[in-house]
Structures are given as structure tokens and as C-alpha cells.
Amino acid sequence: MTNGVDIRTKNLKKPVDVAEYLFTRLYQLGIRSVHGLPGDFNLVALDYLPKAGLKWVGNCNELNAAYAADGYARVNGIGAIITTFGVGELSAINGIAGAYSEHVPIVHIVGCPSTISQRSGLLLHHTLGNGDFNAFANMSASISCAVAKLNDPTEIAAQIDHALRECYLWSRPVYIMFPTDMVEKKVEGERLQTEIDLREPANDPDREDYVVDVVLKYLHAAEKPVLLVDACAIRHRVLDEVHDLIEKTGLPVFVTPMGKGAINETHPNFGGVYSGSASSPAIKEMVEGSDLVISIGSMKSDFNTAGFSYRLSQLTSIDLHSDHCIVRYSEYPGVRMKGVLRKVIDRVDLSRIKALPAPKIERPHIKSDSQAVISQEWFWAHIDQFLREDDIVVTETGTANFGIWETRFPPNVTALNQTLWGSIGWAVGACQGAALASQDERGPDKARRTILFEGDGSLQLTVQEISTMIRHKLNVILFVICNDGYTIERYIHGMDAKYNDIAEWRYKDLPAVFGANEGAAKSYVAKTRGELEALLCDKDFNDRKGLRFVELYMPKEDAPSSLKVTAEASAKRNAMTEE
């Protein structure tokens, strides 16, 4: 500093405040709403949101906000959350960890004490009282693909651009530590005239061509090849390539539970959900009987594979990933699937492709009885008649995540689940974020329907976000599966244990509790198949806007067969001991 002039910034061509720079970059990435909670270390920064064209959501707690930013990112492509130092960011960390686990890009901005306070080691509130201001950033480093500490104005603009690019390209959270005395510091605003380059780095041409040649060698030789599409095909933006490959080759295609919604399920080549021993027999037979399974973006977790019950040989497998490819037992680090898929599409010799038809799944006929209870099997086999093209469908960890396997989606349905991280309560926040992303894109009148299937036990963890849905006039249909507790836990251990029970709530009264009038929300109850069928056919229920809240009663010990198979495998694995 010389004569009151900061020589580090005096030569800037177009000086802008750091907060304005950061939020303008978020807007350029397509973000329109920012989740989070105010705290004294982020308040001044929040004043800059409107100028950048960003809307502040204002969640009920930071964990819910992280879940909501996750749901927003899955629909929008990227999301953002702002918390305050220590108490706020640690409340959000479970949700951010889930996003890291499931490859969801979230920009986590943490307002923190000034650089002066940090250097002085002051005993400030929201700290551990030991003068260590990096403790929380260190905690987040393991669940972030980049950490940026905005301490030096001469470096801040480049730090921001780098972090945001990493967030998008790796499809994982980044952590930005934003001191209070940096909010109004100046950085070069001229940089904003050039948007961040989000193009995926090209593969080395020779290495890519070699992998393509090897893939084509086995594909052309295969007698019964199939495609298996998983979550990372969605997260790493290769669905256009996947669909082009299906259209060109006519290969049968299957999805995993985490990949549900990746493929147009009305396409004649779509075969259904493959999850090892929990798959339908015809699906299991075709996938496991294939002599070449091309797996795209796989995440072979326990719940995604029904307890690691895949029966696929590596000798007949090709695994394409965002940062490497595996052909049989040969691994090719740094060769990304996007470039490989595009060249396979361009170079495949159709005269050498043997494409079998996808299996046709016949659903068991369940006798219609209007007075019968709503069973899991009946519900998931019928709910697809209620779904519409372009819906967003969110399923909670538990019966909904497993039951939805049997539901065939109309075209262009976006499906959200958290099968790998599996934090119960996630879906309520994610539903709010997903619905808001659609509203941001299309406006309140044309926003997509967002339909949430939520367990009663899970709802009790994050129920407050219903008030955020109401506050922002979101177009949400929420089915609460009322079955007296944690069904998935019961099937793993403790069917009759008290710890798997929950308090009985008056669920249909919740919209009123959270401030909704009848125009903003309406509640319904369905205890029999006849009542539910009548509701699903009701024109007002289908067409009205705002929140529709449905109490849906199912038997306590009923569960989808796929959940039972997976829970049994989980229980056995939990009981394993070393010999």
C-alpha cells in the first residue's frame, strides 16, 4: 500500500469486487439460484447476489441446503451453496460428501473470518478456540476436487476460475474459503468478458485410437453384445454419445439402479434395470449371458449391484470411465470415455454387429381390488401410468429407491436417487433443488413436475424443506409412504426392534404448519388401491400447480423384492468376521 493506493490492484483495467466476480462466474456457468444460510461471515457477500442475477434461496438448515444444491446440480448441471465458517459448513458437510461420492458438481462457498483475524489467531466465535482457521478447510479437502483460499487479491480471479472449471470437469464439489476482508477487494473484471473454458481435455490421439481399435475388435467379434449404462454416464455428460451408439448399432441397452433415467425407456432397445441377483430373470439371463458387456460410467457399489451380486466376467467386459478405460484386464489411464465413444460410433462396421432384441418384461397380473391395501408390488407396477413425459422423479433411500426399478418411465424423465451415499432425508432437499432448477430454466408456469417418493422415516429428518418448496411456489407432488418406520433397516436387522420405529405424525397437516394456504398446497390421503387410483386420475390433482402432498399408506413389513435381496446380502456382509 503506497499513499493509500494498493499497488497490487491500481493497474487493473476494469476493477470489480471479488464477490461480484465470483457470483458473475456462477451466473455464466448457468446457476440462477444459490442455496444456503446467512451467517455473519458471509452477510456482506450475500449483498452481491442480486447484482449478478442470482436468487437467494434461504434454506432451513445447512444440511438441507447441501441436499438441495445437489438436486439443483443434477437437473441444472451445476449448483452452489453458501454457508458460514465452522458451524454452518460442518452442518453441510454430509450433503457435500454425498455429492462427492456420487459425482455431483457443487460450488461450496464458505464465508470465513478476515485474513487479519486469521493471522492474529484471534479467539473468535465459530472456531475451535485453538487459532487454527484451516481445520474446517482441511476436513473438506477430502470431499472436494479443489480447495481455493481467497487470501490474495492478485491471485483470486485465477483461483476462482480454476476451482469452477475443476468442479464442472470432474463433476465433484469444490470448496471456496472467502474471508470477509476479501469481499470488496478489487480483481480484474476484464476477465469476465471471456467465459471459463469448460471443454473436456482431448485424449492423446494415439492412445485414444488404440483403445478404440481394441474396443471395436471385441465388439465386431461378439455374438451377444449389450450396453450397460450407469450413473457416471449421466454425471460426465456422455448420454448424447450413448444414444447415438444405440441408434447406430441397435444394441440392447440396460441401466443400473443409479443409471435409472439415463436411457429413453420407451426405446425398443431398452431392456430394463440390471442389478445382479435382484434383476428380473430375463434381464439377468441376457446381461450375464452376454459375451461382451460394454459398461459406461459404472459405479459398482453394494446397493447398485444388489450386494455385489453381478455375475460378469472381466474377460467379457469393457468399462468406459471419465478418466480411464478398461478392456478386459488392460487398463488405459487418462483415456476418457467421451472421445472413445464418439470414435467408436464413427468407425463401427455395422455389417459386423450382431444385435439381439432386448427382452420383453411381462409384469405379473395383480387382481384389481379397490378395497385392497396398497402393496409395494402393486404400487410400483402402476405408478408409471401416472407419470408424464418430462417429469422429474426423486426417490428416497429405502423402499422407493428399490421399487422404482420396476417402473417404466415415459420419455425425457429425469430420475434422481442417492444409491451410493444413501443418506436418508436427502431426497426432500434434493426435490426442492430439482424443482427450483426447473423453475429457473422454464419459469413458474412451465416448470416440470417434480415428483418425490419419500418414506415417512426419512421425511422426519429433513421435513423443513417443505416450507422452502412452499415459499418459492415450486411445482412438487410429494408421496409420503406411511409404513411406520425404517423399512430398509428392518430388513437388514431388527424387523420388530423399537429403534426402527418412528413417531406417528399428522403428515397431511404439514403444508398448513409450514404456512401454505389451500391455493399454494393441497393434502390428500390414500389408504386403498381404489382411493389411490381415483386420486391419480383426478384432473385437478394432475394439473394444479404448487405442492400436492399425499399420505400413502402401505403395510409395515412390505417391501420390494429387490430391497429384500439387497438387504439380505447387506446383513450377511455386516455379520462377516475374519477366519
Side-chain angles (χ1 to χ4, degrees):
M1 188 78 71
T2 304
N3 297 325
V5 177
D6 190 337
I7 59 174
R8 297 174 297 179
T9 58
K10 70 174 184 177
N11 294 323
L12 297 176
K13 298 176 182 177
K14 190 177 180 181
V16 297
D17 292 357
V18 171
E20 181 181 349
Y21 186 93
L22 172 58
F23 295 152
T24 300
R25 282 303 199 202
L26 295 186
Y27 187 91
Q28 290 176 346
L29 291 178
I31 295 170
R32 296 295 179 266
S33 294
V34 177
H35 291 86
L37 274 85
D40 61 330
F41 294 129
N42 65 30
L43 293 175
V44 176
L46 295 182
D47 290 338
Y48 284 78
L49 288 171
K51 184 177 181 180
L54 299 176
K55 177 170 67 178
W56 175 246
V57 178
N59 298 91
C60 298
N61 61 56
E62 289 87 356
L63 176 59
N64 291 359
Y67 290 156
D70 181 315
Y72 188 97
R74 292 182 193 228
V75 173
N76 182 63
I78 191 168
I81 176 176
I82 299 177
T83 62
T84 199
F85 186 72
V87 294
E89 61 180 302
L90 294 189
S91 291
I93 204 167
N94 171 27
I96 299 298
Y100 185 88
S101 169
E102 301 228 345
H103 291 250
V104 179
I106 297 176
V107 182
H108 186 191
I109 301 164
V110 179
C112 67
S114 69
T115 57
I116 300 168
S117 297
Q118 292 183 49
R119 285 196 300 271
S120 301
L122 297 181
L123 193 63
L124 296 180
H125 62 289
H126 299 343
T127 71
L128 297 176
N130 60 1
D132 183 0
F133 289 87
N134 290 307
F136 309 130
N138 292 340
M139 293 180 191
S140 287
S142 295
I143 54 171
S144 306
C145 66
V147 173
K149 300 176 182 179
L150 308 185
N151 296 328
D152 183 349
T154 62
E155 299 176 354
I156 284 176
Q159 285 180 293
I160 290 171
D161 290 359
H162 172 74
L164 297 183
R165 186 171 187 270
E166 293 292 287
C167 181
Y168 182 84
L169 290 181
W170 291 105
S171 195
R172 276 186 156 152
V174 294
Y175 178 95
I176 297 179
M177 192 173 178
F178 197 3
T180 55
D181 59 337
M182 292 294 115
V183 172
E184 297 176 313
K185 292 292 186 182
K186 302 297 183 182
V187 293
E188 183 54 79
E190 193 173 69
R191 294 174 61 112
L192 294 173
Q193 296 175 14
T194 303
E195 295 190 8
I196 298 171
D197 183 2
L198 300 178
R199 291 173 298 177
E200 183 174 295
N203 292 323
D204 176 88
D206 292 337
R207 288 171 57 82
E208 181 179 83
D209 285 341
Y210 182 82
V211 173
V212 170
D213 288 343
V214 176
V215 170
L216 288 174
K217 170 187 171 183
Y218 292 119
L219 177 57
H220 289 150
E223 296 291 331
K224 297 181 289 184
V226 301
L227 301 176
L228 181 59
V229 181
D230 209 337
C232 279
I234 304 170
R235 308 287 196 271
H236 292 277
R237 302 170 288 275
V238 297
L239 292 187
D240 286 345
E241 286 79 6
V242 170
H243 281 94
D244 287 349
L245 182 61
I246 296 167
E247 291 297 333
K248 186 165 185 179
T249 63
L251 291 174
V253 59
F254 302 84
V255 296
T256 68
M258 289 182 72
K260 181 80 173 164
I263 302 301
N264 176 4
E265 299 189 4
T266 64
H267 196 286
N269 297 56
F270 179 72
V273 176
Y274 174 71
S275 187
S277 60
S279 311
S280 297
I283 295 173
K284 187 174 187 293
E285 180 182 354
M286 187 165 198
V287 175
E288 295 180 359
S290 170
D291 59 351
L292 183 66
V293 177
I294 301 177
S295 178
I296 304 171
S298 68
M299 300 182 76
K300 297 176 183 176
S301 71
D302 51 355
F303 279 15
N304 203 31
T305 62
F308 304 113
S309 64
Y310 274 23
R311 294 295 178 264
L312 305 178
S313 169
Q314 192 60 46
L315 278 173
T316 58
S317 297
I318 293 175
D319 298 296
L320 306 179
H321 295 277
S322 59
D323 58 357
H324 70 286
C325 294
I326 304 173
V327 182
R328 294 191 170 187
Y329 285 103
S330 298
E331 183 169 347
Y332 304 93
V335 179
R336 299 173 178 86
M337 61 182 168
K338 194 177 188 73
V340 170
L341 282 168
R342 182 50 60 191
K343 284 188 177 178
V344 167
I345 295 163
D346 293 341
R347 299 179 185 179
V348 65
D349 183 350
L350 295 182
S351 68
R352 301 171 66 186
I353 296 296
K354 295 100 176 166
L356 297 175
K360 302 301 179 187
I361 307 302
E362 297 294 334
R363 290 179 175 171
H365 176 71
I366 304 174
K367 184 179 179 181
S368 179
D369 181 353
S370 63
Q371 297 305 310
V373 297
I374 303 167
S375 67
Q376 294 278 346
E377 182 183 24
W378 180 87
F379 178 75
W380 298 111
H382 282 75
I383 196 64
D384 54 4
Q385 300 170 32
F386 166 70
L387 300 179
R388 294 177 177 174
E389 183 173 355
D390 224 26
D391 280 343
I392 300 169
V393 176
V394 188
T395 50
E396 183 61 88
T397 297
T399 57
N401 258 8
F402 291 90
I404 202 71
W405 297 7
E406 304 306 319
T407 302
R408 282 292 175 107
F409 289 158
N412 301 318
V413 166
T414 300
L416 277 65
N417 64 71
Q418 200 193 47
T419 300
L420 174 55
W421 187 245
S423 184
I424 62 172
W426 163 86
V428 182
C431 172
Q432 180 262 293
L436 183 58
S438 178
Q439 186 184 86
D440 283 354
E441 179 190 12
R442 303 188 182 188
D445 294 334
K446 296 183 179 180
R448 303 162 69 183
R449 299 194 311 178
T450 301
I451 302 168
L452 169 62
F453 298 104
E454 180 74 13
D456 51 3
S458 298
L459 179 69
Q460 293 192 7
L461 274 74
T462 49
V463 66
Q464 310 97 316
E465 283 322 293
I466 291 174
S467 69
T468 310
M469 298 175 193
I470 295 167
R471 180 182 181 186
H472 291 282
K473 300 180 173 62
L474 300 180
N475 189 24
V476 171
I477 302 172
L478 198 163
F479 291 92
V480 182
I481 299 171
C482 300
N483 55 5
D484 298 324
Y486 304 120
T487 301
I488 188 171
E489 314 287 6
R490 294 188 195 282
Y491 273 93
I492 294 174
H493 183 79
M495 179 61 75
D496 299 312
K498 290 293 184 183
Y499 49 72
N500 285 327
D501 296 338
I502 60 170
E504 185 176 345
W505 285 8
R506 298 176 185 171
Y507 294 101
K508 66 182 177 62
D509 295 336
L510 287 173
V513 168
F514 290 123
N517 57 37
E518 192 167 329
K522 191 171 181 178
S523 295
Y524 310 83
V525 178
K527 295 186 176 182
T528 67
R529 296 178 187 178
E531 289 174 351
L532 180 59
E533 286 179 324
L535 177 62
L536 298 182
C537 293
D538 183 78
K539 189 175 188 306
D540 178 70
F541 176 74
N542 278 274
D543 295 341
R544 69 183 288 130
K545 299 294 184 181
L547 176 64
R548 283 142 285 178
F549 189 97
V550 183
E551 274 190 13
L552 183 65
Y553 285 85
M554 294 188 183
K556 179 178 179 179
E557 296 183 9
D558 188 22
S561 59
S562 53
L563 182 149
K564 295 176 184 178
V565 170
T566 306
E568 182 181 4
S570 182
K572 288 179 179 178
R573 192 168 51 257
N574 291 344
M576 289 174 62
T577 58
E578 290 185 322
E579 294 292 338

